């Protein structure tokens, strides 16, 4: 028997919204970025938090999740 995952939905009033100023790129190339990320990983370990946006649309009666990172 297959079960569908449960997705809890909450009213927009339960959340806060904001924006951030864009950051300048620290690296001049992808190789530089990967090297910096490797050093950070060796120093700090696994990342324990992320930044992202989760948009929920109920325009047609059913919740539709749009994930942007």
């Amino acid at each position: 028997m297959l079960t569908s995952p449960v997705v809890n939905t909450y009213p927009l009033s339960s959340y806060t919204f904001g924006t951030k100023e864009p950051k300048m790129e620290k690296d001049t190339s992808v190789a530089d970025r990967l090297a910096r990320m490797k050093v950070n990983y060796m120093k700090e370990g696994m990342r324990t938090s992320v930044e992202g946006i989760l948009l929920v649309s109920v325009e047609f009666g059913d919740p539709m999740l749009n994930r942007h990172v």
Side-chain angles (χ1 to χ4, degrees), residues 18-37:
T19 59
K20 292 183 177 182
E21 293 296 320
K23 294 182 183 179
M24 298 301 293
E25 292 290 330
K26 296 179 182 179
D27 311 299
T28 57
S29 69
V30 173
D32 289 345
R33 181 169 187 241
L34 291 175
R36 181 177 55 81
M37 290 171 69

Side-chain angles (χ1 to χ4, degrees), residues 37-50:
M37 290 171 69
K38 184 175 182 179
V39 168
N40 286 346
Y41 178 78
M42 298 304 287
K43 183 173 51 173
E44 300 172 15
M46 182 70 67
R47 178 181 276 201
T48 58
S49 65
V50 298

Side-chain angles (χ1 to χ4, degrees), residues 46-59:
M46 182 70 67
R47 178 181 276 201
T48 58
S49 65
V50 298
E51 293 183 24
I53 299 171
L54 179 66
L55 301 175
V56 180
S57 172
V58 290
E59 185 175 350

Side-chain angles (χ1 to χ4, degrees), residues 7 9-10 12 15 17-18 52-58 62-69:
V7 177
T9 58
Y10 302 96
L12 289 177
Y15 301 93
F17 298 91
I53 299 171
L54 179 66
L55 301 175
V56 180
S57 172
V58 290
D62 294 319
M64 181 171 80
L65 303 178
N66 301 304
R67 182 176 50 126
H68 300 274
V69 177

